[in-house]
Amino acid sequence: MYNRRKFVKLSAAGASLSLLDKIAAAKPLVPPQAAGYPIVISTWGFGVDANKEAWKTLSKGGRALDAVEAGVKIPEADLTNHTVGRSGYPDRDGHVTLDACIMDENGNCGAVAAMEYIAHPITIARLVMEKTPHVFLVGEGATQFAVEQGFKKEKLLLPESEKAWKQWLKKAEYKPIINIENSKGLPGNQYNHDTIGMLAIDAKGNISGACTTSGMAFKMHGRVGDSPIIGAGLYVDNEVGGATSTGVGEEVIRNVGSFLVVELMRQGYSPEAACKEAVQRIIKKKPETAKQIQVGFLAINKKGEYGAYAIQKGFSFAVCDKEKQDLLIDGKSFY
Ligand code: SD4
């Protein structure tokens, strides 16, 4: 307890004490009901299988951080998926470069971007978080760190992706295709972008998130999107909730999208309303661009309530909890 003299001294040092008191007072005093826990949600149809993997950890009382890492490794390893992890489509120069980030309930985070030759960027992002004094490693430095951690370099450009890239080179037209994430199975260069963002709350009520992608197919060499950027592609605040994004990353970065969604939830917005407001900011800033692109946000709050919103129709997200492990929901959209 403060005695008065100490208090006066501290107050004289600035208005910071009362500000700190205000912040402390603003924290919810009663923790939200844990009835909705554990739960895991993720972007797009491939989120269903990813969630099921995460559920193996969550249903045993495991930590949300372990669950999201294990979950997103499923699409990272899926050879039929050309937009996350191994077998991702390359950039326009033929390099497969991967981006990922992860964030835990204590505000710790780690990320890698433009990393080549390593198939599970999410695990390297977690190692950056846990084993280095840094948050973000990129390019050769990220690969070098992964090798130092015992990971093998491997060729990520698989024949199917190489074929699609060579086909793309004929016209070399960079044009993101709306909702290509839902078009699994289309031949040739039809995949343009695809990302898994996953948010989980474990039995203790702790929130973590992960986001991983090979980014926009046929992007410029060195281009990094929103997915590995904390605050853009992913953000978690254990007092409030978490958010993640998918779609054309440039527009998400411009609006620091996932951080914005979490901050709106802090102000009382529901997850869906927060996602909608973030989408509307993107549209307001660049209405003509927004007509041509997809961006979707997915969010969960501390109570385990979730919601999503996208610019275009067709954004789906997967939900997994005690009741149902394979739910796929169509997100609402502006258009
Ligand atoms: C990016 N946001 O690199 C990623 C791509 C994506 O669904 O999300 N696709 O911009």
Side-chain angles (χ1 to χ4, degrees):
M1 268 224 339
Y2 293 115
N3 63 34
R4 196 176 142 70
R5 194 183 294 169
K6 240 189 200 164
F7 178 81
V8 169
K9 221 169 144 194
L10 278 168
S11 303
S16 55
L17 183 67
S18 61
L19 183 64
L20 284 175
D21 283 346
K22 269 188 205 154
I23 291 169
K27 282 183 193 168
L29 295 175
V30 184
Q33 294 292 309
Y37 308 158
I39 182 169
V40 55
I41 61 175
S42 57
T43 54
W44 302 110
F46 60 15
V48 171
D49 287 343
N51 284 355
K52 282 185 193 161
E53 186 64 27
W55 186 248
K56 290 181 190 165
T57 300
L58 293 173
S59 58
K60 283 188 230 130
R63 189 177 170 201
L65 183 72
D66 295 325
V68 294
E69 183 194 358
V72 303
K73 281 174 83 171
I74 297 296
E76 278 186 348
D78 180 357
L79 296 186
T80 68
N81 178 332
H82 294 297
T83 49
V84 179
R86 193 197 303 271
S87 108
Y89 275 178
D91 63 23
R92 66 182 192 184
D93 297 338
H95 300 266
V96 178
T97 63
L98 304 180
D99 303 335
C101 72
I102 195 159
M103 194 160 185
D104 77 6
E105 72 274 16
N106 299 312
N108 298 313
C109 50
V112 291
M115 182 177 70
E116 291 188 67
Y117 309 114
I118 307 290
H120 284 297
I122 199 64
T123 298
I124 312 306
R126 182 168 176 176
L127 288 167
V128 170
M129 172 173 93
E130 291 178 342
K131 301 236 158 121
T132 80
H134 307 303
V135 162
F136 210 157
L137 293 180
V138 304
E140 273 174 39
T143 306
Q144 184 187 325
F145 170 67
V147 170
E148 282 163 14
Q149 292 297 314
F151 289 77
K152 266 217 188 96
K153 275 171 94 167
E154 45 185 313
K155 191 178 170 198
L156 298 182
L157 184 62
L158 298 186
E160 218 177 295
S161 304
E162 192 167 2
K163 205 170 135 203
W165 168 57
K166 290 203 169 135
Q167 168 128 1
W168 177 83
L169 279 175
K170 288 182 191 159
K171 276 197 184 166
E173 189 188 14
Y174 180 74
K175 196 165 181 276
I177 298 170
I178 290 171
N179 292 336
I180 207 65
E181 297 85 351
N182 275 347
S183 314
K184 205 170 174 184
L186 285 178
N189 67 353
Q190 297 295 293
Y191 288 98
N192 214 265
H193 57 87
D194 202 345
T195 292
I196 184 152
M198 179 178 275
L199 302 160
I201 311 184
D202 60 30
K204 289 187 181 147
N206 285 327
I207 311 169
S208 291
C211 188
T212 176
T213 189
S214 53
M216 307 298 282
F218 318 126
K219 60 196 174 185
M220 287 174 72
H221 185 54
R223 179 265 186 192
V224 172
D226 58 326
S227 305
I229 298 177
I230 296 295
L234 176 76
Y235 196 69
V236 169
D237 184 318
N238 207 42
E239 285 180 5
V240 178
T244 188
S245 63
T246 178
V248 177
E250 280 73 6
E251 301 315 313
V252 179
I253 294 171
R254 279 190 243 279
N255 293 278
V256 200
S258 292
F259 182 72
L260 173 61
V261 170
V262 172
E263 287 307 300
L264 289 167
M265 290 195 293
R266 190 193 304 279
Q267 290 168 28
Y269 282 64
S270 71
E272 186 185 300
C275 292
K276 184 175 180 182
E277 174 63 23
V279 160
Q280 283 173 343
R281 296 246 184 128
I282 290 176
I283 296 169
K284 203 171 158 197
K285 254 184 212 165
K286 291 188 178 283
E288 287 313 309
T289 307
K291 279 183 200 155
Q292 314 293 328
I293 62 160
Q294 177 63 300
V295 168
F297 290 103
L298 176 65
I300 194 159
N301 67 17
K302 188 74 181 167
K303 292 183 217 158
E305 296 163 342
Y306 52 82
Y309 205 83
I311 299 179
Q312 311 287 346
K313 284 195 183 67
F315 173 48
S316 56
F317 63 97
V319 179
C320 169
D321 62 10
K322 265 179 256 154
E323 304 301 320
K324 206 163 165 28
Q325 279 87 59
D326 60 356
L327 194 60
L328 186 63
I329 298 176
D330 284 332
K332 293 187 188 159
S333 64
F334 185 82
Y335 288 113

